[in-house]
Amino acid sequence: MKLSTQHLLGIKNLTREDISLILSTAQDFKDVLQRPVKKVPSLRDITIVNLFFENSTRTRMSFELAERRLSADVLNFTASASSVAKGETLLDTVNNILSMKVDMVVMRHSASGAPHFLAKHIPAAIVNAGDGINEHPTQALLDAFSMKEKTGRLEGLKVAIIGDIMHSRVALSNIYLLTKMGVEVTVAGPPTLIPKYLTDALDVRVEYNVKKALQWCDVANVLRIQLERQSQPLFSSLREYSLAYGINRRMLESLNKEIVIMHPGPINRGVELDSDVADGPSSIILNQVENGVAVRMAALYLLANREN
C-alpha cells in the first residue's frame, strides 16, 4: 500500500487507510528502534530540510532523530538566524533551499496554512510540523499510536481532550484522526476555550465539567493553556484554571476506574496537570515522546517512497 497524498499537510486530508498504513509502518520502525543498531538505510541519498519558524524542542528533535535513523541527509533552518530576519519572503527562502537539491521539507510556522501555500508552489514533499492553530498531524498520529499501544484498540475507545481547545492545533488534528478511526471524542474545558461550532461541525461532545469528562473517558489527552496565542484574557488566572480544570491525583482516585493520561507537551505543571499525575502510573507521556520518532520515521519513509 501507498499513501494517497504527496504531502502530509494535515489529518483532514488523509483517508482511514492512510492513517492505518502510517500506524502499522510505525510499529515496524519501533521494532527497529529496539535493536542495538537503530539506523536503517531507507532514506539514504534523500535530503530533508527542517524549516522551523517557531520555537520547538520535542518536535524538532524528534524529526531530526527520525531522519537520521533513516540515514537521510539533514539540514536545519532557524528563522531567527536566517535571511528571513532581513525581510526575505517565505517562498524565496524555500526556493533558495530547494536549489540545493532538497527532496523534502519539514515545516513549522506560526501562520495557519503556510505549508499548504508552499505545497502549491514547490515540487518537494512537505510535512506539516504544526501551522498556527490549524493542524499538527504527526502529533495526532503519535497520540493515536500511543493510545492503541496502551489499550489495544482505537475503534470504540472513549477519548477526552481537555484544556485549551480553541488555540490548539493538536486538538483539531486529534479530533480529525480519532473520529475517522471510530473513536468517541469529548472535548472539555472552560466555555471560553471551546469553539461553539465543534459539536455540529466535527461530531464531538462538549463537556464543561472536567470530572464528568474523566468519568466518561478511557483516555484523557490533556492540553496546555496557550497564553501566547490569546489576544485577551479568557479566564481569571492560572490558579483559578488549575482549581477548576486541573487534574490531580485526588481527582483520579475519586473516579473508581483506571484511565490513561496523555499530554503532547510542554506541560505546565501545577496548571493542567499536577506532577504526581504527569509522572504517575496512569501517564504514558514519555511513551508518546518515544513513539514520536517511530511515527515520524514512518511518515517520512512513506512519503519518500510514494512514487516508487
Side-chain angles (χ1 to χ4, degrees), residues 171-183:
L172 190 56
S173 286
N174 262 271
I175 290 169
Y176 283 142
L177 189 152
L178 295 173
T179 53
K180 285 184 180 187
M181 303 306 288
V183 176

Side-chain angles (χ1 to χ4, degrees), residues 14 61 143 170 265 271:
L14 296 183
M61 291 178 65
D143 286 349
V170 173
V271 181

Side-chain angles (χ1 to χ4, degrees), residues 181-192:
M181 303 306 288
V183 176
E184 294 182 57
V185 179
T186 290
V187 297
T192 52

Side-chain angles (χ1 to χ4, degrees), residues 56-107:
S56 172
T57 302
R58 280 159 306 283
T59 301
R60 181 167 184 161
M61 291 178 65
S62 182
F63 265 112
E64 184 172 351
L65 186 55
E67 292 153 5
R68 295 189 186 281
R69 293 285 190 239
L70 292 167
S71 302
D73 296 318
V74 180
L75 293 173
N76 286 312
F77 169 96
T78 303
S80 60
S82 74
S83 293
V84 171
K86 302 175 184 177
E88 186 173 66
T89 67
L90 171 62
L91 196 54
D92 282 343
T93 297
V94 175
N95 279 328
N96 279 312
I97 293 170
L98 290 181
S99 69
M100 303 175 198
K101 308 305 178 187
V102 168
D103 302 292
M104 192 177 297
V105 176
V106 175
M107 180 181 183

Side-chain angles (χ1 to χ4, degrees), residues 7-13 90 107 109 111-122 126-132 134-137 176:
H7 310 285
L8 181 53
L9 300 177
I11 300 298
K12 186 177 182 180
N13 305 315
L90 171 62
M107 180 181 183
H109 203 284
S112 298
H116 305 72
F117 169 78
L118 273 193
K120 295 177 181 177
H121 292 87
I122 66 172
I126 296 175
V127 179
N128 181 3
D131 64 320
N134 181 36
E135 281 215 53
H136 192 349
Y176 283 142

Side-chain angles (χ1 to χ4, degrees), residues 19-20 22-31 138-154 174 177-178 262 284 287-288 290-292 294-295 298:
I19 294 168
S20 295
I22 293 171
L23 296 184
S24 63
T25 306
Q27 183 59 62
D28 294 335
F29 280 122
K30 182 162 186 182
D31 294 341
T138 57
Q139 182 67 49
L141 287 161
L142 74 89
D143 286 349
F145 183 91
S146 302
M147 289 178 202
K148 187 174 182 181
E149 181 180 60
K150 180 65 175 179
T151 68
R153 64 191 173 106
L154 285 177
N174 262 271
L177 189 152
L178 295 173
M262 302 176 64
I284 60 168
N287 300 82
Q288 290 173 262
E290 178 187 0
N291 291 336
V295 167

